[in-house]
Amino acid sequence: MNRRKFLSNTTSSAAFVGLGGLSLNSCFNPTAKKISILHTNDVHSHIDAFPKTHANFPNLGGLARRATLVAHLRQENPNTLLFDAGDIFQGTPYFNFYGGELEFKLMSMLKYDAATIGNHDFDNGIDGLFAQLPHAKFQLLSANYDFKNTIMNGHTKPYEIYTVDAIKIGVYGLGIGLDGLVSKKLFKETQYLDPFEIAQDTERILKEDEKCDLVICLSHLGYEYSSDKPDDLKLAAKTKYTNLIIGGHTHTFLDKPTIVKNSVGNDILVNQVGCFGVNLGKIDFYFDTEKNISADGISITI
Amino acid sequence: MILKLKHFVIFITIVGFASCKQKPQQLTKISGEQIEIGENFKEDSSIIKFVKPFKNRIDEVLDSTLAFAPSYISKTDGKLNTSAGNLMADAVLALSNPVFNARTGNNIDFVLLNHGGIRSPISIGKVTARTGYEVMPFENSVVVVGLNGKAIREMIAYLIKNKTPHPIAGIQIILNKDNSLSAVNIQGKPFDEDQIYYVATSNYLVTGGDNMMFFENHVSITETDYLIRNIMIDYFGKMDTIAPKVDDRFITLD
């Protein structure tokens, strides 16, 4: 925030010299870089913290506290992105009274970078979701919802690429099948496409064509089903370039992120942080120049 | 303009110089943690300030008194029917029938909801719209399904086997001591196997919730678009006193 202000307010001279100096430094002094990915899922309109007397989450959560935490983490590491894996809406009277306006405005205040769309984000209909878009200063990502014949056409992106400290981070979104979960009246002509195929296509574009250093999926498929219904664990095993799946929908509380072998035998992380904004997930990716890499490959500490 | 151009040249030169030595970056290490958001994180005052007027408005609406509950209303105070279940089922029958009648010309014969759908008891004292949100936080709406005699029989068998006080209204089920069926009355008349009955329930149950599979074989289905929560709130608004009782709508004979 301070840095952004500095760049826009100072005369170009200082900024240019500053920038030049930075890249000059990094060239002579190749130190490791750290990218922090912060994430939430299934916040369900939980803007206030839970009361102290709450049976399951006493005195936990709350957007005002999350704001403090996120600001602190960004200060610690400016190379930070913040994402949400869907079901932003529905769960408290804030949604029933204001239709999601507050949720989007507050996420914008926290400087969320992107979110994917959960089934409950259709609860006021696709028109209700569309109506709140002016309040969202972050990108809605969905690669497998085809909104072509809906009012949402052109208002979402399949993926977004963020360049942070010269590291290219490709992020794509996946949504759950809506039939039987959401009334057709609400999602209208939204077409749900096979998430596995779409994920494989999208990660290939991000890695091979766009040359991303890091590929992240925001998924609202759900963590794990015993049936053959698509879930994050099955998805992880089918991917090849995705490094992290940030999940949602099943309100799954994990002790730690799950490590899954992908289709070429490499490790991929699947994470989800429960629900209602009681937790914030934080995954740090460390990058180094080739010559500093140990022979063991990527070490995962969770 | 000249000044700007000069800066541009300097910038390009430095970046060009730097990038020639840039090595490709590679992922080396990943670490993950989950941070619980507790009171150790101070609340951001700008967020609190932003939310306050919205919160005040909600509190004002939700906490205004709609009715009064002279006694505790619970979903565990009866064996096969309860005060909280009877309240919810009676409210659904009373308020969704006008909607169903306007849409189809027919009347609802009875109501079946699920015991698990009642999420909170109602304490003695003032009853507010917030009470409605506590009792029914879910966005379930009332759906009216037409069922034939066979499906109604399956439903009754389910209720007898389940022995759970699922909320009902408009139907009476009387069991003998050995759990065999003594009588079933719908709208005060004995159950007629050859009749189609209109049953109001929740959209959650029609789509297979709580394994109420008998709803699958419906002969008709009508959405009322009326949320059960809104029915509760509207019902509270129509009543001065909310005093449902455990009664004889679903009982076992001594």
Side-chain angles (χ1 to χ4, degrees), chain B residues 5 7 14-15 25 31 46 54 58 70 90 93 102 106 109 114 116 123 125 158 167 179 196 216 223 240 253-254:
Chain B
L5 191 67
H7 286 151
I14 293 173
V15 168
Q25 302 282 305
S31 68
S46 65
F54 295 94
I58 290 175
D90 288 347
L93 184 60
N106 296 313
D109 292 299
N114 65 323
S123 303
Y158 170 96
N179 274 333
I196 299 292
E216 273 186 2
E223 305 258 1
D240 294 329
L253 295 172
D254 294 326

Side-chain angles (χ1 to χ4, degrees), chain B residues 18-115:
Chain B
S19 63
C20 72
K21 297 210 169 181
Q22 201 84 21
K23 295 275 186 316
Q25 302 282 305
Q26 205 139 356
L27 185 59
T28 57
K29 195 177 106 180
I30 307 170
S31 68
E33 61 174 315
Q34 179 172 286
I35 305 164
E36 190 179 77
I37 299 178
E39 62 186 337
N40 46 327
F41 297 108
K42 203 173 155 279
E43 293 186 318
D44 183 312
S45 57
S46 65
I47 301 279
I48 294 291
K49 203 177 148 201
F50 176 79
V51 172
K52 203 168 188 309
F54 295 94
K55 186 175 162 60
N56 288 349
R57 171 76 188 136
I58 290 175
D59 288 348
E60 196 185 297
V61 173
L62 291 191
D63 293 330
S64 61
T65 304
L66 297 174
F68 179 77
S71 55
Y72 187 66
I73 302 167
S74 147
K75 69 167 183 177
T76 54
D77 57 3
K79 204 164 140 264
L80 293 175
N81 74 92
T82 69
S83 58
N86 294 347
L87 168 67
M88 190 183 268
D90 288 347
V92 166
L93 184 60
L95 295 196
S96 57
N97 191 50
V99 180
F100 178 66
N101 183 274
R103 293 192 177 182
T104 64
N106 296 313
N107 288 307
I108 294 169
D109 292 299
F110 68 95
V111 174
L112 170 64
L113 301 166
N114 65 323
H115 186 245

Side-chain angles (χ1 to χ4, degrees), chain A residues 9-30:
Chain A
N9 292 347
T10 343
T11 45
S12 46
S13 162
F16 280 162
V17 169
L19 271 177
L22 272 179
S23 52
L24 198 64
N25 273 344
S26 67
C27 188
F28 288 126
N29 232 344

Side-chain angles (χ1 to χ4, degrees), chain B:
Chain B
M1 189 61 210
I2 294 168
L3 199 68
K4 266 185 189 165
L5 191 67
K6 204 182 278 175
H7 286 151
F8 185 65
V9 172
I10 292 168
F11 177 61
I12 290 294
T13 316
I14 293 173
V15 168
F17 178 61
S19 63
C20 72
K21 297 210 169 181
Q22 201 84 21
K23 295 275 186 316
Q25 302 282 305
Q26 205 139 356
L27 185 59
T28 57
K29 195 177 106 180
I30 307 170
S31 68
E33 61 174 315
Q34 179 172 286
I35 305 164
E36 190 179 77
I37 299 178
E39 62 186 337
N40 46 327
F41 297 108
K42 203 173 155 279
E43 293 186 318
D44 183 312
S45 57
S46 65
I47 301 279
I48 294 291
K49 203 177 148 201
F50 176 79
V51 172
K52 203 168 188 309
F54 295 94
K55 186 175 162 60
N56 288 349
R57 171 76 188 136
I58 290 175
D59 288 348
E60 196 185 297
V61 173
L62 291 191
D63 293 330
S64 61
T65 304
L66 297 174
F68 179 77
S71 55
Y72 187 66
I73 302 167
S74 147
K75 69 167 183 177
T76 54
D77 57 3
K79 204 164 140 264
L80 293 175
N81 74 92
T82 69
S83 58
N86 294 347
L87 168 67
M88 190 183 268
D90 288 347
V92 166
L93 184 60
L95 295 196
S96 57
N97 191 50
V99 180
F100 178 66
N101 183 274
R103 293 192 177 182
T104 64
N106 296 313
N107 288 307
I108 294 169
D109 292 299
F110 68 95
V111 174
L112 170 64
L113 301 166
N114 65 323
H115 186 245
I118 307 166
R119 306 304 291 187
S120 169
I122 298 174
S123 303
I124 295 174
K126 66 172 194 169
V127 176
T128 65
R130 194 181 296 281
T131 312
Y133 277 87
E134 288 165 356
V135 171
M136 187 63 211
F138 306 131
E139 301 304 297
N140 294 328
S141 60
V142 172
V143 168
V144 183
V145 290
L147 293 180
N148 62 21
K150 187 168 166 283
I152 299 285
R153 257 197 196 286
E154 282 172 34
M155 173 192 293
I156 291 161
Y158 170 96
L159 291 172
I160 294 171
K161 186 163 170 262
N162 228 251
K163 290 192 187 64
T164 303
H166 290 303
I168 57 172
I171 185 171
Q172 186 186 32
I173 304 168
I174 301 169
L175 306 181
N176 295 311
K177 230 176 179 170
D178 63 355
N179 274 333
S180 64
L181 204 53
S182 167
V184 175
N185 297 307
I186 298 172
Q187 288 297 323
K189 288 181 222 149
F191 166 51
D192 175 1
E193 189 115 27
D194 298 322
Q195 205 189 312
I196 299 292
Y197 289 97
Y198 293 106
V199 184
T201 185
S202 118
N203 57 349
Y204 167 72
L205 298 175
V206 168
T207 49
D210 270 10
N211 279 316
M212 295 195 182
M213 305 318 275
F214 42 82
F215 280 127
E216 273 186 2
N217 299 316
H218 52 257
V219 295
S220 69
I221 183 156
T222 309
E223 305 258 1
T224 65
D225 304 307
Y226 207 163
L227 291 180
I228 294 173
R229 179 200 309 125
N230 289 346
I231 286 180
M232 300 300 289
I233 293 170
D234 292 346
Y235 190 77
F236 297 155
K238 284 177 189 290
M239 313 290 276
D240 294 329
T241 307
I242 304 293
K245 297 273 179 290
V246 176
D247 57 25
D248 62 355
R249 64 185 77 192
F250 191 12
I251 49 165
T252 309
L253 295 172
D254 294 326

Side-chain angles (χ1 to χ4, degrees), chain A residues 136-169:
Chain A
K137 288 183 185 144
F138 51 91
Q139 182 65 49
L140 284 180
L141 298 176
S142 182
N144 72 324
Y145 286 153
D146 180 355
F147 288 119
K148 194 170 66 225
N149 295 322
T150 74
I151 193 164
M152 285 292 286
N153 185 31
H155 294 283
T156 64
K157 284 182 171 181
Y159 60 82
E160 183 78 271
I161 297 168
Y162 303 86
T163 305
V164 180
D165 199 8
I167 301 288
K168 271 183 101 173
I169 304 155

